[in-house]
Amino acid sequence: MKHITTYLLLFLATFSITSCIEPPLHLPGQEMKIILPQVDTDIDVAWDVHTDVQVKYHFGWDETDAALWDSLEYPMPKLIEVRRYYTGENPDGAIVGKDGFTIDTPSFRKYFQFGYYNLLFWSDVDFKGESPNVQIDESNPNNVIAYTNGSKGFNRRSENDDAIIGLHDQPEMMYGAYPKDVHISENLNDYEYDAENNVYIKHIEAILKPLVYMYLVQIVLHNNESIVQDVDGNAAITSLARGTIVNTGHTLDDACMVYMPTRMKKGIKIDGEEVDIVGGRLNTFGLCDMERYDSNKGTTYQGGRSDLHNYIYFDLTLADGTVKTYRRDITDQMKKQAYGGIITIDIDCMQLEPEYQSELKMESLFLPTIEDYKEVIWHFEI
């Protein structure tokens, strides 16, 4: 697993006039002082959850998909925000000093005062538009929040329905790490001596992990004998976290509905059957009140909210030219793959109209598209 390694370099200044001096610790009685140490920090991304895209994701991922929605990799961030919270000589104490800066390389060097630090790292989001969807609230250094704002044109379905609460664009991919109580000590015994460079080194390790998780959605259309002609690209998943705590990776407990674009591919064979597939990629902070991913606990939901249901809403353009919106419950799939994965919905096109008539009773929902933010109207039968 890749990791962040922090090296603390303590340079020794001596006051002896001796022309040839061995390393200071070898000279009894020699006066010395330790100047403020420098910290060399090397940053890398660690992520050990892998999805079998080749076998399970029948929608595939071609050049058009990559051009629209990027690759299926968790990329190395290009910019990283660094915050240093100084607590003096008190571990877990109140913050008495702080500073911050942005780096564009995987390593940097800064001077540190003696005492304790909490170090917060998060990646600047990689976005393509004029401004990123993710916002950062640093008002509480112990709980820095990454979140998205709701889009315009939203109507709630009913006061007691958790399916649609807020409507948000996808967060951009980002990462975070939070090494706490990093002790910059004046005691040379806390460091390793590097005789070649005449410095003392302290090693600190932390893991930079995703704060946003990736889902690959595929809606498999069986028996589609020209019943579904195309899609207009609109889909959304409900009861997803509105944001996350950057320090811990724990998601917020308030739910929102996240919009995702889709496209349709025809004539794909699965186990000898020819089907059409509507697919797309969704980035999300995760499920509500969810703990950060722990490889020892697996990928199933680790959190405190069991009352919410995840529904996917998606548009299909039918043979008569009408666009209708359908809903499916994907709660079980989402909780089994709480940190990203493949979500599959099987649709028998011969049964589309009856299911639509019986299931959906709601008001119109207005969604801005990801590409141009024009209004798109979803029609639900009353």
Side-chain angles (χ1 to χ4, degrees):
M1 177 177 288
K2 299 176 181 178
H3 56 269
I4 303 173
T5 305
T6 303
Y7 304 96
L8 307 184
L9 306 184
L10 275 69
F11 296 86
L12 303 184
T14 68
F15 296 93
S16 171
I17 308 179
T18 307
S19 60
C20 181
I21 302 178
E22 295 294 325
L25 290 184
H26 297 173
L27 298 178
Q30 182 179 359
E31 294 184 3
M32 70 181 79
K33 73 173 181 179
I34 304 175
I35 68 172
L36 289 180
Q38 293 191 57
V39 177
D40 278 357
T41 305
D42 296 321
I43 301 175
D44 210 338
V45 171
W47 186 235
D48 55 5
V49 175
H50 301 285
T51 301
D52 194 345
V53 175
Q54 298 298 325
V55 176
K56 297 180 180 180
Y57 195 52
H58 304 293
F59 179 77
W61 205 256
D62 57 30
E63 293 181 357
T64 301
D65 301 317
L68 289 172
W69 307 314
D70 294 326
S71 71
L72 298 184
E73 302 294 328
Y74 281 82
M76 180 68 188
K78 297 177 182 178
L79 295 175
I80 297 176
E81 294 292 332
V82 182
R83 299 293 182 268
R84 302 191 299 179
Y85 305 121
Y86 182 57
T87 61
E89 291 300 323
N90 300 311
D92 287 326
I95 295 173
V96 295
K98 62 181 179 180
D99 69 341
F101 45 91
T102 305
I103 60 173
D104 58 5
T105 62
S107 62
F108 68 92
R109 175 176 290 187
K110 289 283 184 180
Y111 282 103
F112 275 60
Q113 297 183 64
F114 296 112
Y116 287 88
Y117 284 85
N118 296 332
L119 305 176
L120 182 61
F121 303 87
W122 75 83
S123 63
D124 262 8
V125 296
D126 186 11
F127 62 94
K128 296 182 177 180
E130 294 182 0
S131 60
N133 296 327
V134 172
Q135 306 296 316
I136 302 293
D137 179 0
E138 295 188 62
S139 58
N140 181 358
N142 296 312
N143 286 283
V144 174
I145 303 295
Y147 66 96
T148 56
N149 287 315
S151 302
K152 64 180 181 179
F154 159 72
N155 287 322
R156 170 175 262 176
R157 182 177 176 188
S158 71
E159 291 298 324
N160 298 319
D161 192 341
D162 66 0
I164 300 177
I165 306 174
L167 181 62
H168 294 236
D169 291 326
Q170 299 182 51
E172 294 85 359
M173 188 59 64
M174 62 182 301
Y175 311 81
Y178 189 48
K180 292 190 65 178
D181 299 332
V182 177
H183 190 207
I184 313 300
S185 172
E186 297 184 46
N187 186 349
L188 293 182
N189 292 328
D190 292 340
Y191 302 87
E192 298 176 11
Y193 180 68
D194 179 353
E196 181 178 351
N197 297 302
N198 195 28
V199 297
Y200 285 80
I201 303 174
K202 183 181 179 73
H203 301 279
I204 301 170
E205 294 186 357
I207 298 174
L208 189 66
K209 287 189 173 183
L211 297 169
V212 172
Y213 306 104
M214 183 192 309
Y215 283 96
L216 303 177
V217 177
Q218 55 184 0
I219 303 168
V220 182
L221 304 177
H222 302 272
N223 302 316
N224 186 24
E225 299 177 4
S226 300
I227 297 172
V228 177
Q229 295 288 320
D230 204 349
V231 295
D232 64 5
N234 292 323
I237 295 180
T238 68
S239 299
L240 297 175
R242 183 181 64 87
T244 192
I245 301 172
V246 178
N247 312 59
T248 64
H250 195 105
T251 62
L252 304 183
D253 62 3
D254 50 333
C256 72
M257 185 177 187
V258 180
Y259 175 83
M260 62 172 290
T262 62
R263 60 189 293 252
M264 183 175 177
K265 295 179 182 178
K266 298 182 178 181
I268 297 176
K269 284 193 174 181
I270 302 178
D271 298 330
E273 177 191 6
E274 188 171 287
V275 299
D276 299 334
I277 303 181
V278 178
R281 164 183 161 171
L282 173 74
N283 288 348
T284 173
F285 292 114
L287 303 180
C288 297
D289 193 21
M290 185 175 79
E291 297 177 15
R292 167 169 268 166
Y293 173 73
D294 183 343
S295 59
N296 295 322
K297 296 181 180 180
T299 59
T300 56
Y301 177 57
Q302 304 161 25
R305 290 205 67 169
S306 59
D307 57 318
L308 297 178
H309 290 272
N310 300 110
Y311 293 102
I312 183 169
Y313 288 84
F314 53 94
D315 283 352
L316 298 177
T317 303
L318 304 183
D320 62 1
T322 61
V323 177
K324 293 187 177 179
T325 305
Y326 297 86
R327 182 186 78 172
R328 292 295 184 276
D329 190 333
I330 57 172
T331 306
D332 290 343
Q333 290 192 70
M334 294 292 289
K335 288 192 174 181
K336 288 178 181 178
Q337 304 175 94
Y339 303 91
I342 296 173
I343 302 298
T344 301
I345 302 98
D346 290 289
I347 300 293
D348 184 350
C349 293
M350 296 293 185
Q351 303 297 320
L352 274 176
E353 194 63 25
E355 291 183 15
Y356 171 80
Q357 296 282 359
S358 63
E359 287 187 7
L360 296 181
K361 301 288 184 182
M362 61 188 302
E363 300 173 358
S364 295
L365 179 65
F366 300 85
L367 290 177
T369 64
I370 292 295
E371 293 82 6
D372 55 15
Y373 291 86
K374 293 180 180 178
E375 281 194 343
V376 177
I377 300 176
W378 283 12
H379 295 284
F380 291 86
E381 198 164 284
I382 302 301

